[in-house]
Amino acid sequence: MTISAILGMAAHLEGKGVGVIDMAGLAQKGGAVYCHVKIANRPQDVHAIRVAAGEADLALGCDLVVAGTKKVLSAIDKGHTGVFVNSAEVYPGEITRVADFTLPGERVKTAIRDTAGENYGFVDASAAATALLGNSIGANMFMLGFAWQRGFVPLSEASILEAIRLNGEAVAMNTEAFHWGRRAAADAKGFEAYVAPLLKPTESREISKSLDEIVERRAKYLAAYQNADYAQRYRKRVEKALAAEHAKAPGKTDYATAVARYLFKLMAIKDEYEVARLYSDGSFKRQLDAAFENVGKLEFHLAPPILGRKDANGVATKTTFGPWMMSAYKLLAALKFLRGGAFDIFGKTAERRQERQLLADYETLLDELEAGMNAATHPVAVQLAAIPEKIRGYGHVKDSHIVKAKAEEAKLLEKFRAPQTPMPVAAE
């Protein structure tokens, strides 16, 4: 909507005719925003403002998912319309309702390419704006600069920059974003080379590419979480899984990979000590400093099981704590050696006992899987080893997921334990 307003003002400054329709009603419910803009040399040349099928000169996609909808694609005239899209994968509201939702990013890009023909361009404007400007909100103005440089915005640079100034909102950032978009379109390789070091993911956001890397990173984490012995316990359990898989299903590592991921998940529960460690080890402050120029008063909204506060429906409610919690976190993190012991007051709650039982049950399950696995049951063993993936959330949300996960586990176990029918052998 800001882009459409900037375009409208810039056209007005040039004495051109302009019509704008912002369709933003669904945005309040997690839906898409569409803006139709028509620009003509004279005001009397602007009639129906809605851009009809095949009528667009420019389709500016600030959101990949929205840009790939039928409504947008139908407006494109292949070979004529310029189609420039922010390739950042921003998840829609559906992710809050569907736990296993995945974004079909590549499929959407293919649909856009096939519809656009030659005049298209993808650029991760959100990542670039965050790296260059410190704020992903600059991505939309970045995209406008990108499209302008490619020659699909019939307005002068001077009028667009003046419209940004008159808008009065984040003028410096929006001006810079527009210029960076131009640079990205003018010299794609040079721009990518300049931005690449800034976009390099931090260690916590790097995706592991092999089983060895998965194990090493998680073992390192568990050593910080508890101690070296705890990390070694994890390593030995994964090594046992891998040895069993090599013996029973040679050439496969799917089972050991699942064990490496989900044993870790059950061993590294986010209890009070871990929350305290994550807030006080310096990483939280680094994230704040990277995201904001000035951080004011911090408040923490927590629902520790030890407090036991619940609403009328029996659901745990959060309590607000002030900045003093940072000092409390440092003290609590130093007491992690109490975890699971006789003096662990947090470990006595029903939630913590449940988490320890989940880990014990999982290790018992692994023993059975590794004893009974063969080439035929290997796929089911992989599914069973990944069951903890289904356990998500905290409190009552986690409880409901545990019930569903256990039900699925029971069905898969029945299938795993069923006698395998031997393959028929053809008679000579």
Side-chain angles (χ1 to χ4, degrees), residues 11-56:
H12 173 71
L13 291 172
E14 294 187 13
K16 293 181 177 178
V18 62
V20 177
I21 296 178
D22 295 326
M23 304 174 66
L26 290 175
Q28 296 176 5
K29 296 183 179 180
V33 178
Y34 303 92
C35 297
H36 296 246
V37 180
K38 280 194 174 180
I39 300 172
N41 288 325
R42 301 179 305 166
Q44 56 266 39
D45 292 334
V46 178
H47 303 294
I49 300 172
R50 186 186 296 270
V51 179
E55 195 178 73

Side-chain angles (χ1 to χ4, degrees), residues 195-210:
V195 175
L198 304 176
L199 299 180
K200 186 177 180 180
T202 60
E203 183 180 355
S204 63
R205 294 182 180 274
E206 184 73 47
I207 303 297
S208 299
K209 298 179 178 63
S210 67

